[in-house]
mmCIF file of all heavy atoms in Angstrom:
data_model
loop_
_atom_site.group_PDB
_atom_site.id
_atom_site.type_symbol
_atom_site.label_atom_id
_atom_site.label_comp_id
_atom_site.label_asym_id
_atom_site.label_seq_id
_atom_site.Cartn_x
_atom_site.Cartn_y
_atom_site.Cartn_z
ATOM 1 N N ALA A 479 97.719 67.717 135.930
ATOM 2 C CA ALA A 479 98.014 68.607 137.054
ATOM 3 C C ALA A 479 99.513 68.766 137.259
ATOM 4 O O ALA A 479 99.982 69.829 137.686
ATOM 5 C CB ALA A 479 97.348 68.080 138.324
ATOM 6 N N ASN A 480 100.283 67.721 136.929
ATOM 7 C CA ASN A 480 101.743 67.793 137.111
ATOM 8 C C ASN A 480 102.451 68.477 135.944
ATOM 9 O O ASN A 480 103.684 68.554 135.915
ATOM 10 C CB ASN A 480 102.324 66.402 137.335
ATOM 11 C CG ASN A 480 102.110 65.476 136.143
ATOM 12 O OD1 ASN A 480 101.719 65.911 135.062
ATOM 13 N ND2 ASN A 480 102.357 64.186 136.334
ATOM 14 N N GLY A 481 101.688 68.961 134.959
ATOM 15 C CA GLY A 481 102.251 69.685 133.834
ATOM 16 C C GLY A 481 102.518 68.851 132.603
ATOM 17 O O GLY A 481 102.840 69.392 131.549
ATOM 18 N N ALA A 482 102.394 67.530 132.693
ATOM 19 C CA ALA A 482 102.644 66.665 131.533
ATOM 20 C C ALA A 482 101.608 66.930 130.443
ATOM 21 O O ALA A 482 100.405 66.907 130.701
ATOM 22 C CB ALA A 482 102.606 65.196 131.953
ATOM 23 N N SER A 483 102.104 67.188 129.206
ATOM 24 C CA SER A 483 101.181 67.494 128.110
ATOM 25 C C SER A 483 101.583 66.856 126.788
ATOM 26 O O SER A 483 100.883 67.033 125.788
ATOM 27 C CB SER A 483 101.087 69.011 127.915
ATOM 28 O OG SER A 483 102.358 69.544 127.564
ATOM 29 N N GLN A 484 102.676 66.148 126.734
ATOM 30 C CA GLN A 484 103.129 65.549 125.483
ATOM 31 C C GLN A 484 102.731 64.075 125.416
ATOM 32 O O GLN A 484 103.183 63.298 126.240
ATOM 33 C CB GLN A 484 104.645 65.695 125.358
ATOM 34 C CG GLN A 484 105.105 67.140 125.250
ATOM 35 C CD GLN A 484 106.596 67.269 125.048
ATOM 36 O OE1 GLN A 484 107.366 66.339 125.266
ATOM 37 N NE2 GLN A 484 107.038 68.435 124.642
ATOM 38 N N TRP A 485 101.928 63.694 124.445
ATOM 39 C CA TRP A 485 101.309 64.608 123.502
ATOM 40 C C TRP A 485 99.802 64.485 123.612
ATOM 41 O O TRP A 485 99.274 63.362 123.602
ATOM 42 C CB TRP A 485 101.750 64.299 122.070
ATOM 43 C CG TRP A 485 103.212 64.522 121.826
ATOM 44 C CD1 TRP A 485 104.177 63.591 121.757
ATOM 45 C CD2 TRP A 485 103.861 65.781 121.601
ATOM 46 N NE1 TRP A 485 105.395 64.172 121.502
ATOM 47 C CE2 TRP A 485 105.221 65.520 121.409
ATOM 48 C CE3 TRP A 485 103.412 67.097 121.566
ATOM 49 C CZ2 TRP A 485 106.145 66.548 121.169
ATOM 50 C CZ3 TRP A 485 104.326 68.095 121.328
ATOM 51 C CH2 TRP A 485 105.670 67.822 121.122
ATOM 52 N N ILE A 486 99.115 65.616 123.719
ATOM 53 C CA ILE A 486 97.655 65.592 123.721
ATOM 54 C C ILE A 486 97.146 65.272 122.320
ATOM 55 O O ILE A 486 96.223 64.478 122.142
ATOM 56 C CB ILE A 486 97.086 66.931 124.215
ATOM 57 C CG1 ILE A 486 97.337 67.075 125.718
ATOM 58 C CG2 ILE A 486 95.586 67.034 123.933
ATOM 59 C CD1 ILE A 486 96.835 68.384 126.291
ATOM 60 N N THR A 487 97.748 65.893 121.307
ATOM 61 C CA THR A 487 97.322 65.689 119.924
ATOM 62 C C THR A 487 98.292 64.750 119.208
ATOM 63 O O THR A 487 99.399 64.496 119.678
ATOM 64 C CB THR A 487 97.262 67.027 119.169
ATOM 65 O OG1 THR A 487 98.544 67.663 119.252
ATOM 66 C CG2 THR A 487 96.213 67.940 119.785
ATOM 67 N N ASP A 488 97.865 64.267 118.037
ATOM 68 C CA ASP A 488 98.704 63.338 117.293
ATOM 69 C C ASP A 488 99.613 64.075 116.317
ATOM 70 O O ASP A 488 99.613 65.308 116.238
ATOM 71 C CB ASP A 488 97.849 62.289 116.566
ATOM 72 C CG ASP A 488 96.971 62.886 115.468
ATOM 73 O OD1 ASP A 488 97.159 64.074 115.114
ATOM 74 O OD2 ASP A 488 96.093 62.167 114.967
ATOM 75 N N GLU A 489 100.388 63.325 115.558
ATOM 76 C CA GLU A 489 101.385 63.907 114.661
ATOM 77 C C GLU A 489 100.769 64.772 113.563
ATOM 78 O O GLU A 489 101.402 65.718 113.080
ATOM 79 C CB GLU A 489 102.216 62.787 114.011
ATOM 80 C CG GLU A 489 101.383 61.827 113.181
ATOM 81 C CD GLU A 489 102.226 60.708 112.588
ATOM 82 O OE1 GLU A 489 103.080 61.008 111.742
ATOM 83 O OE2 GLU A 489 102.016 59.550 112.989
ATOM 84 N N TYR A 490 99.532 64.474 113.164
ATOM 85 C CA TYR A 490 98.915 65.242 112.084
ATOM 86 C C TYR A 490 98.560 66.653 112.551
ATOM 87 O O TYR A 490 98.728 67.623 111.802
ATOM 88 C CB TYR A 490 97.680 64.515 111.560
ATOM 89 C CG TYR A 490 98.021 63.166 110.973
ATOM 90 C CD1 TYR A 490 97.786 61.990 111.699
ATOM 91 C CD2 TYR A 490 98.607 63.063 109.719
ATOM 92 C CE1 TYR A 490 98.127 60.752 111.178
ATOM 93 C CE2 TYR A 490 98.953 61.825 109.181
ATOM 94 C CZ TYR A 490 98.710 60.678 109.922
ATOM 95 O OH TYR A 490 99.058 59.449 109.411
ATOM 96 N N ALA A 491 98.084 66.792 113.772
ATOM 97 C CA ALA A 491 97.809 68.115 114.321
ATOM 98 C C ALA A 491 99.114 68.885 114.504
ATOM 99 O O ALA A 491 99.188 70.084 114.204
ATOM 100 C CB ALA A 491 97.071 68.000 115.652
ATOM 101 N N ARG A 492 100.149 68.210 114.957
ATOM 102 C CA ARG A 492 101.432 68.889 115.151
ATOM 103 C C ARG A 492 102.030 69.312 113.805
ATOM 104 O O ARG A 492 102.682 70.354 113.700
ATOM 105 C CB ARG A 492 102.401 67.981 115.913
ATOM 106 C CG ARG A 492 101.894 67.642 117.319
ATOM 107 C CD ARG A 492 102.996 67.089 118.197
ATOM 108 N NE ARG A 492 103.517 65.815 117.741
ATOM 109 C CZ ARG A 492 102.989 64.639 118.041
ATOM 110 N NH1 ARG A 492 101.878 64.569 118.778
ATOM 111 N NH2 ARG A 492 103.540 63.521 117.609
ATOM 112 N N GLN A 493 101.779 68.521 112.783
ATOM 113 C CA GLN A 493 102.230 68.890 111.436
ATOM 114 C C GLN A 493 101.491 70.130 110.955
ATOM 115 O O GLN A 493 102.082 71.010 110.327
ATOM 116 C CB GLN A 493 101.970 67.702 110.498
ATOM 117 C CG GLN A 493 102.538 67.822 109.116
ATOM 118 C CD GLN A 493 102.254 66.563 108.293
ATOM 119 O OE1 GLN A 493 101.285 66.493 107.559
ATOM 120 N NE2 GLN A 493 103.100 65.558 108.448
#
Side-chain angles (χ1 to χ4, degrees):
N480 62 12
S483 62
Q484 295 183 344
W485 295 102
I486 289 179
T487 56
D488 66 11
E489 61 182 294
Y490 298 102
R492 297 196 295 275
Q493 188 178 95

